[in-house]
Amino acid sequence: MDLTPKRASDSATEMVQVVLPNDTNPLGFILGGTVMHLIDIAGAIACHRHTRTLLVTAAVDDLQFLHSIKVGDLIILRSRVTCVFTTSLEVQVDVFSEETLTGRRQRTSRAFLTFVAIARDGARVRVPKLLVETDEERRVCEEAQTRRAARLQRRLEVSQSEV
Ligand SMILES: CC(C)(COP(=O)(O)OP(=O)(O)OC[C@H]1O[C@@H](n2cnc3c(N)ncnc32)[C@H](O)[C@@H]1OP(=O)(O)O)[C@@H](O)C(=O)NCCC(=O)NCCS
């Protein structure tokens, strides 16, 4: 296992695809579930590039859809690792729409996901540290630690709630 620390830029990912009729609701807007699927994929790719391990999605923070993305437009997803813990890491995924005829771009969502690195037998795997080099990267990682504390508290509450 190569635990050489990496920069966020080493794993940052951009995915672009055109919204096709099969991805849309009767109004011609992309389905929320399709956007969520793409967010999961974009987040996973950045985390795979950082860890080079198998991963599972452990948590997706609350998600907002600020604007619709219509059939024929582009959906752009940018993911970057924000902070690395021991066997888990957080990734930020920003989603944009781009009108194909005008190039007008709008941010439509921002999501934070947590992935856990696992081996084939399900054992947790340590992940390479993140090289944090700028003040902005330091701030982003500190904010991720605050989100992680809230997330783990929420996990406790969900796991203790009645069936
Ligand atoms: C995620 C999963 C591996 C965690 O397993 P677990 O036995 O609870 O693991 P642990 O408590 O030892 O936690 C392992 C790491 O994951 C983190 N973690 C686990 N659940 C988390 C959550 N809900 N949110 C954020 N981090 C979480 C822990 O903080 C720990 O991180 P660290 O090693 O970096 O400190 C397990 O719950 C699982 O397999 N869930 C299903 C995953 C899946 O199938 N996802 C697809 C969508 S359903």
Side-chain angles (χ1 to χ4, degrees), residues 12 30-31 56 59 62 78 84 106 149:
I30 193 167
L31 296 163
V56 290
D62 73 317
R78 287 195 187 141
V84 164
Q106 282 186 299

Side-chain angles (χ1 to χ4, degrees), residues 91-107:
V91 61
Q92 174 178 328
V93 182
D94 285 305
V95 185
F96 303 89
S97 62
E98 183 182 307
E99 288 181 357
T100 34
L101 298 185
T102 63
R104 180 166 172 259
R105 235 179 225 215
Q106 282 186 299
R107 182 197 306 279

Side-chain angles (χ1 to χ4, degrees), residues 79-97:
S79 56
R80 67 162 171 167
V81 172
T82 54
C83 205
V84 164
F85 308 107
T86 305
T87 66
S88 67
L89 65 171
E90 186 195 74
V91 61
Q92 174 178 328
V93 182
D94 285 305
V95 185
F96 303 89
S97 62

Side-chain angles (χ1 to χ4, degrees), residues 91-152:
V91 61
Q92 174 178 328
V93 182
D94 285 305
V95 185
F96 303 89
S97 62
E98 183 182 307
E99 288 181 357
T100 34
L101 298 185
T102 63
R104 180 166 172 259
R105 235 179 225 215
Q106 282 186 299
R107 182 197 306 279
T108 63
S109 298
R110 168 168 291 174
F112 294 98
L113 297 86
T114 304
F115 287 87
V116 179
I118 55 164
R120 288 210 180 271
D121 63 2
R124 312 285 173 268
V125 176
R126 287 186 78 89
V127 296
K129 296 218 173 311
L130 183 67
L131 286 172
V132 176
E133 294 175 322
T134 66
D135 287 347
E136 203 259 339
E137 287 173 348
R138 230 177 312 282
R139 178 187 58 76
V140 165
C141 190
E142 280 167 14
E143 289 173 0
Q145 294 182 30
T146 306
R147 279 189 296 273
R148 169 183 151 96
R151 215 174 273 139
L152 293 179

Side-chain angles (χ1 to χ4, degrees), residues 1 3 5-6 11-12 20 26 39 50 52-53 73 75 82 89 99 104-105 108 115 120 123 140 148 152 159:
M1 172 70 56
L3 288 175
K6 290 181 188 154
S11 57
L20 295 172
I39 287 173
H50 185 85
R52 298 298 175 192
T53 65
D73 284 354
I75 177 168
T82 54
L89 65 171
E99 288 181 357
R104 180 166 172 259
R105 235 179 225 215
T108 63
F115 287 87
R120 288 210 180 271
V140 165
R148 169 183 151 96
L152 293 179
S159 66

